[in-house]
């Protein structure tokens, strides 16, 4: 039995942890001896701007069946990768806004928060699929 606690997994670290939790919840894979009983998971995400070009493919693969992403991209892989490219660049605006002498506007900060929400939603959806009582805490 395990409880997964993942704190500040930058970039796709959160998504890789989610993939592991999903695998454990679905049962042991090939070559594994016993099924892991996952009692729950707590994840604190960060650094969406660190999802680089190669990482976008990992993120897309882990969340390829997410209905929220499909509704935004029409299920098209190229559209999804472009969407991720825009999101991952723009979420940095919120981080940069705290820097001395920055030129980030309040509109850019709000936009960055919306892009961050778009990156988080598939993660929340997957957690809710694995743990129906899952909730997001801001």
């Amino acid at each position: 039995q395990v409880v997964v606690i993942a704190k500040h997994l930058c970039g796709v670290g959160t998504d890789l942890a989610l993939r592991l939790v999903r695998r454990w919840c679905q049962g042991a894979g090939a070559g594994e001896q016993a099924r892991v009983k996952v009692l729950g998971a707590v994840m604190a995400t960060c650094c969406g701007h660190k999802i680089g070009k190669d990482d976008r493919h990992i993120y897309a693969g882990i969340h390829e069946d997410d209905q929220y992403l499909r509704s935004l991209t029409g299920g098209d892989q190229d559209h999804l990768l472009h969407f991720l490219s825009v999101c991952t660049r723009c979420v940095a605006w919120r981080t940069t806004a705290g820097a001395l002498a920055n030129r980030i506007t309040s509109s850019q900060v709000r936009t960055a928060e919306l892009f961050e929400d778009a990156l988080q939603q598939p993660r929340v959806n997957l957690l809710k699929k694995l743990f129906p009582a899952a909730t997001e805490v801001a």
Side-chain angles (χ1 to χ4, degrees), residues 31-95:
E32 294 182 49
Q33 296 298 320
R35 185 168 192 264
V36 176
K37 183 176 181 182
V38 183
L39 301 177
V42 177
M43 298 192 176
T45 62
C46 72
C47 304
H49 62 283
K50 291 187 178 181
I51 299 175
K53 184 177 181 179
D54 293 335
D55 294 336
R56 290 179 203 130
H57 291 277
I58 294 169
Y59 181 100
I62 292 170
H63 301 291
E64 65 188 343
D65 294 329
D66 183 76
Q67 290 304 311
Y68 173 77
L69 285 179
R70 288 183 164 282
S71 72
L72 295 175
T73 64
D76 182 282
Q77 183 76 1
D78 290 334
H79 289 158
L80 175 55
L81 293 173
H82 178 71
F83 175 73
L84 293 173
S85 173
V86 172
C87 282
T88 56
R89 284 193 313 258
C90 294
V91 296
W93 291 340
R94 187 175 59 186
T95 305

